[in-house]
Each structure stands twice: as structure tokens, then as C-alpha cells.
Amino acid sequence: MTVPVFDSALTRIPRLGFGTWPMKGVECQAAVESAIGLGYRHIDTAEMYGNEEPVGAALNACGVPRSELYLTTKVWWDKPDGASFRRAFDACLKRLGQDYVDLLLVHWPSPQLDLPSVLQAQAAIRDAGLAKAVGVANFPLGLLKRAVEAEIVPIAALQVEHHVYLDQQRLLDYVTPRRIVLTSYTPVAKGVVLEDEVIQGIARKHGATPAQVALAYLLSKPGVAAIPKAQSPARQQENLDAANLRLDAEDQKALAALPKGNRMVSPGFAPDWAA
Ligand SMILES: NC(=O)c1ccc[n+]([C@@H]2O[C@H](COP(=O)([O-])OP(=O)(O)OC[C@H]3O[C@@H](n4cnc5c(N)ncnc54)[C@H](OP(=O)(O)O)[C@@H]3O)[C@@H](O)[C@H]2O)c1
């Protein structure tokens, strides 16, 4: 299975990746090794997941050259300034046991975020070759625009919740023409799609599964990547095979008609999403 790649001037990211939260320890390492063995080449982790060590160990043990793998990590929002962000990133690299990551994201915007200084830290990390590209996660449109327009470091990626029930059209309208990849987290809506009769109907029609329909919906949008998490090799394979599913106009119409304002991840420290 060859996963399609989004290739901008800033990054070359496999559009179907593997989410690792909330797996930990040996279970996490085994899942990542299994995913890479099946053909995943893009692995998503974060400082906050507490699994950078097993993720890095899996990368080191899997037998696939590092240059063929795409690794994302994220620094947690309690590092709102450049100096603390840099210290946290250095610790990420150490735990990962890697010389570099492919993508380094600000995990969430803090209310105390000193955006220019964090962007400057990301620029220094990128200039040193320790992160090939940088970006942000969970930024609402206004803050994303500020990050891009600051022109301190080029923003390669935006990672946000995005699935059949949350279409993120405002963000897509901004990032797509700028060739900023939008990486979709919670792409199978934490499994809710499995019970959805509309999605089940589309899946039956194609001899596919509801999770595959949900992922194919995301992959049908230009410049969009998705990072489903699945523990078992069978589900990992099922999700990977979604890259082969092509939805037709009738499917797209039915999916477009599903309610689109259902956000599943909005912790107390989340920003004002409309900002
Ligand atoms: N940047 C952020 O703030 C942020 C926030 C949330 C998530 N993320 C990233 O995005 C990744 C994915 O998001 P997520 O884990 O919240 O949601 P998700 O991938 O939409 O859903 C994961 C859940 O769906 C189940 N599942 C996956 N594939 C399935 C399939 N084919 N059939 C049936 N069930 C299936 C999984 O079960 P099993 O594992 O038991 O198979 C798991 O319970 C995370 O792992 C993380 O890397 C980032």
C-alpha cells in the first residue's frame, strides 16, 4: 500500500499517518512497529502523550530507514515562551532518541502565549536541522493568521480536530491555497462513525467499512492528512486501506449533509474557536 504524500515546498508528509495517543510503553512500541510494518510512514506523538520513548524505540527498531519515516512531535501549552519551548523540545528529542523530527508543533495555544518568541524558538530549531518543518495545532483562524503573517518561520502544518462531523471550512479556506497541510486528528470521530447509518450505507455500497469512509472523506480534500489511532494490526490495516477508497458525488453529498458543528476535543484550556 502506497500512501499518498502531500508535498509542499516546506514538507513532504504522508497523508495517512498513525496517531499514538493514549498508548504507552511496550504496548505503544508494539503498535507503532506493527503500523510501520503494514506501511504507515507517518507517526504522530507529543510531549504530553508520555510515549515519545516507545515511539522513538519503535522507529529505531523497525528496520525502515529513518529518512523514509515522518515523525511529528508537539510541545505542550505550558511552555508559552521561546526559552521554555526550546528546553522542552530538546527533552523531546532526547526521549525520542532521534537526531531530528520531521515536524514540530505548538500543541495548544496558551492564554499566556508569547507567539513571536515561540516562533523564534521554532525558527532556531529548524535552522539547526533539529526539526525539518514546524507548525501549530489547535490554533483558531485569527491566531493562525498571526503566526503566518509574523513571517518569523514558515508554517508548514496545522493540526486540528477534523472529521465528518466537523468540517473546519474556515481553516481549510485559509490553509489550502497557502499549501499549509491540515492534519486531521480524531479522524474517525473516536469511533462514532461506526454507528452512523448514512456512513454505514456508503460503506456497504463500496464493500468498505464506516471508518474507511470517514478517512476517505478527509483524504478526498486537497492538502488534508489524517492520523487515526488504532491499537490492533487489523484496524491499522483497515484504516490504511482507506487510501484506496474513492467516494463518488452521491457519497460526498450525503456526507456533506451530516451535521458539521460537533467538536469532540475542547478541554478547559482550549482557545476561543471562533477567534
Ligand atoms: N493535536 C491534538 O491536540 C490532538 C488531539 C487528539 C488527538 N490527536 C492525535 O490524533 C490521533 C487520533 O485521534 P483520536 O485517537 O482522538 O481519535 P480517532 O483516531 O478518531 O479514534 C480512535 C478510536 O477509534 C477506534 N478506531 C480506530 N480505527 C478504527 C476502526 N477502523 N474501526 C473501529 N474503531 C476504530 C480506536 O480504537 P482501538 O485503538 O481500540 O482500535 C480508538 O478508540 C491521536 O492518537 C493523536 O496522535 C491530536
Side-chain angles (χ1 to χ4, degrees):
M1 156 69 52
T2 310
V3 168
V5 168
F6 173 85
D7 198 350
S8 71
L10 297 173
T11 200
R12 224 180 149 271
I13 184 169
R15 294 183 59 210
L16 195 57
F18 186 67
T20 64
W21 181 83
M23 297 184 291
K24 288 212 168 53
V26 287
E27 179 188 84
C28 177
Q29 182 173 343
V32 174
E33 284 188 43
S34 152
I36 293 172
L38 293 170
Y40 287 86
R41 291 293 177 267
H42 164 185
I43 309 295
D44 183 83
T45 183
E47 174 191 21
M48 188 280 274
Y49 299 172
N51 65 13
E52 288 176 306
E53 281 169 2
V55 166
L59 263 61
N60 291 335
C62 70
V64 174
R66 176 67 185 85
S67 58
E68 292 175 21
L69 298 167
Y70 191 100
L71 176 63
T72 301
T73 198
K74 320 178 194 82
V75 168
W76 195 232
W77 64 275
D78 60 351
K79 287 65 173 203
D81 60 88
S84 60
F85 186 93
R86 177 60 194 256
R87 278 194 302 276
F89 170 70
D90 289 342
C92 291
L93 262 194
K94 209 167 174 183
R95 282 189 297 272
L96 287 162
Q98 304 295 315
D99 296 332
Y100 68 93
V101 296
D102 295 276
L103 183 63
L104 169 63
L105 302 177
V106 180
H107 202 152
W108 286 86
S110 158
Q112 279 78 45
L113 179 65
D114 178 351
L115 183 61
S117 89
V118 167
L119 294 172
Q120 277 153 12
Q122 285 187 308
I125 290 166
R126 182 171 171 266
D127 289 348
L130 301 175
K132 303 284 185 203
V134 301
V136 297
N138 297 303
F139 273 34
L141 182 59
L143 193 56
L144 174 66
K145 282 185 181 169
R146 276 176 53 204
V148 171
E149 289 166 10
E151 293 189 349
I152 293 170
V153 65
I155 301 297
L158 168 72
Q159 184 177 127
V160 286
E161 180 177 347
H162 180 209
H163 44 68
V164 283
Y165 308 118
L166 185 68
D167 67 0
Q168 297 289 20
Q169 198 53 53
R170 279 174 82 222
L171 290 170
L172 280 170
D173 288 345
Y174 182 75
V175 298
T176 310
R178 289 172 176 78
R179 307 281 296 152
I180 297 170
V181 63
L182 187 145
T183 302
S184 317
Y185 75 67
T186 316
V188 299
K190 296 190 183 288
V192 173
V193 297
L194 306 183
E195 309 303 325
D196 188 306
E197 287 179 10
V198 172
I199 298 174
Q200 286 172 348
I202 297 170
R204 266 196 305 277
K205 176 174 134 187
H206 291 281
T209 68
Q212 289 173 331
V213 171
L215 293 169
Y217 163 81
L218 296 172
L219 296 179
S220 71
K221 302 189 187 191
V224 168
I227 47 169
K229 173 263 175 185
Q231 184 79 51
S232 69
R235 280 182 177 175
Q236 293 170 4
Q237 183 69 58
E238 177 186 332
N239 293 346
L240 198 57
D241 289 342
N244 283 332
L245 176 60
R246 298 284 169 276
L247 301 173
D248 61 30
E250 186 189 35
D251 306 331
Q252 291 286 7
K253 200 172 161 197
L255 292 170
L258 293 173
K260 293 287 180 237
N262 187 350
R263 192 181 288 280
M264 297 182 171
V265 181
S266 201
F269 53 78
D272 172 4
W273 294 113

